[in-house]
Amino acid sequence: MIGGANFVTVIIMLLTGFSDRLNPADHPLLSTTGMAFPFFVLATLAFLFFWLVFKWRMMWISVLGLLCAYVPISIYMPLNAPQDLPEDGLKLVSYNVCAYSGNGRYDDGFRKVVEYLVKESPDIVCLQEDIDTWRSYVFSEYQKHWAFNDTVVIASNALSLNAVGIHTRFPIVKRERIDYPSVGNGSVAWWLKVGGDTLIVVNNHLESCHLSSDDRQQYRQIIKGEMPSDSLSAESKTLLIKLAEANAKRSGQVRAVMQYVASHSQYPIIVCGDFNDNPISYSCHSAAECLTDCFRTTGRGLGLSYNQKAFSFRIDHIFCSSRLKPYNCKVDSEMDASDHYPILCWLKLDGK
């Protein structure tokens, strides 16, 4: 019976691990199952420990399952060795700043963000929710530290106010809005002059899951096993429907971004931002088909970038084209002035 349970767990682990191949537009509910992948990995490891203690000959079930799941495991939790940074590389920070609200921890969230960015001294800063309607000096403050700055309001309506911005040491040649339907989200491509080359940086804030505070509380209860059994099924179904609807919208958005990337493949390109999607997702799989996932190839550990309790996932990502080589991509979990942690990466542009 235990061996059978182990086998079933392995099968579900593999199905959830490779669910990122499913297009949410065609399989909306199944596309959400990638979120459960780490739980089944942990369950498989628990079975492995059990067999080691009580009947080691049966451990082959877990070992074989983990070997078959190597690809999604390496995506979710890569274990790359540290690299020596290139002398002529550029440093990029992508950060959802939560409209500089301070995440309830700081009275002056904007000052905390600026001090952090100045200390890190990146060459390119890509910000999501770069909104300063409540404080007029935000943009002028960035101009003190970065020569070239631009912010695009991607949503301004009764339901949402959102903007993405770039602050950089490199001249901005032009910008282009990538067209796709969304009430409160968007993607903007900035063309930067880097030496004698042109670098395209696409900053994204893709569709969020639109979970209310009640939805989040119910999700926490489900994770902790505190949800009453008589309402568990109904509440779980409601959450899954919302996640599936958001996945379906993101699938169209990420396809639009990848079409833009493909049509400008002659340029080195960085695609970064708040994808609102975990590493085992159609969004990340689609991006990784034509770009390099910087955290997967150079990062270490889980890299959890969304820091709300029970919602710890890596939903902020950096991808780059083949003319860029990434180094030491990481999520800085010590910077807590937002509901996200910043993700950083060093990149070297070839001389072509």
Side-chain angles (χ1 to χ4, degrees), residues 220-228:
R220 294 186 181 98
Q221 290 177 338
I222 293 172
I223 293 296
K224 295 178 181 179
E226 299 174 352
M227 175 68 67

Side-chain angles (χ1 to χ4, degrees), residues 227-258:
M227 175 68 67
S229 57
D230 57 344
S231 57
L232 177 60
S233 177
E235 298 301 338
S236 298
K237 184 177 180 180
T238 299
L239 288 172
L240 282 174
I241 289 173
K242 288 191 175 184
L243 293 173
E245 290 174 346
N247 276 359
K249 291 179 181 179
R250 273 195 301 273
S251 67
Q253 295 168 4
V254 76
R255 282 199 301 273
V257 173
M258 290 304 107

Side-chain angles (χ1 to χ4, degrees), residues 265 267-269 290-292 320-325 348 350:
S265 58
Y267 297 101
I269 299 178
C290 55
L291 300 170
T292 299
C320 68
S321 62
S322 59
R323 284 192 55 196
L324 289 153
K325 183 177 180 180
K348 179 178 172 61
D350 71 22

Side-chain angles (χ1 to χ4, degrees), residues 45 50 93 159 239 247 290 304 315-316 346:
L45 290 171
F50 175 86
V93 173
L159 297 175
L239 288 172
N247 276 359
C290 55
L304 305 176
I315 64 174
D316 300 87
W346 288 258

Side-chain angles (χ1 to χ4, degrees), residues 77-114:
M77 191 182 70
L79 297 173
N80 299 292
Q83 302 164 287
D84 294 328
L85 298 178
E87 293 182 0
D88 54 348
L90 60 90
K91 183 178 181 181
L92 179 140
V93 173
S94 176
Y95 193 14
N96 183 323
V97 295
C98 194
Y100 305 108
S101 64
N103 199 22
R105 297 185 178 97
Y106 303 98
D107 293 332
D108 192 343
F110 170 71
R111 182 56 50 193
K112 185 73 175 178
V113 170
V114 170

